[in-house]
Amino acid sequence: MKYLLLKHYRGGPTPTVDFPPMDQWAPDEVNAHIQFMRDFSDRLEKSGEMVDAQALAPDGAFVRYDGEGRPPVTDGPFAETKDLIAGWMVIDVDSWDRALELAGELSAAPGPGGEPIHEWLEVRPFLSAPPTVTE
């Protein structure tokens, strides 16, 4: 079963630790955090549980179809995913419990002062079949 571990900048439950945004961390703190993420990904790669992991740039826009040749592009007034979503990891594991276990480990990535950031991660299973429609 595949699961999405979604990392948020904000928008989840109230954080247990209130760290400043990463762009305010010391360079060695950022490097330690990124190395943790790489090591975590490498471990899952070796166990066969890693599918993909990506960090997202803060740039982006909303786009929708609005007639031939006219896709409107806007920077709001929506809840901006570029302000909310920092990145993701897709894992392929045997159970929901294993997905939760890995999300818990990922939540312990180091932040300022090397302390675990206790980040909330959204865990979502991939849809394996179309939803059933009942009338």
Side-chain angles (χ1 to χ4, degrees):
M1 183 81 188
K2 290 186 177 126
Y3 294 88
L4 174 68
L5 307 181
L6 194 56
K7 296 175 66 63
H8 293 270
Y9 287 119
R10 60 182 177 83
T14 303
T16 57
V17 180
D18 192 21
F19 287 118
M22 189 180 277
D23 63 359
Q24 297 174 22
W25 296 5
D28 62 324
E29 294 168 338
V30 173
N31 291 339
H33 182 84
I34 291 171
Q35 189 60 53
F36 177 95
M37 301 299 292
R38 286 184 180 138
D39 293 345
F40 186 83
S41 294
D42 289 347
R43 186 166 53 88
L44 294 185
E45 192 79 37
K46 288 177 183 156
S47 71
E49 296 173 305
M50 173 59 77
V51 175
D52 185 39
Q54 300 293 326
L56 297 174
D59 311 351
F62 276 90
V63 178
R64 71 179 170 108
Y65 179 78
D66 197 29
E68 209 50 49
R70 303 183 313 226
V73 177
T74 184
D75 199 34
F78 310 106
E80 301 283 355
T81 57
K82 67 184 180 184
D83 294 335
L84 300 175
I85 301 171
W88 73 82
M89 183 173 288
V90 177
I91 56 174
D92 190 350
V93 296
D94 292 332
S95 67
W96 171 253
D97 289 340
R98 178 64 176 154
L100 296 180
E101 177 185 347
L102 292 174
E105 289 180 38
L106 190 55
S107 172
E115 294 296 316
I117 58 176
H118 300 280
E119 161 183 49
W120 284 103
L121 295 166
E122 186 176 350
V123 180
R124 305 229 357 229
F126 277 35
L127 187 62
S128 58
T132 303
V133 178
T134 59
E135 294 186 46

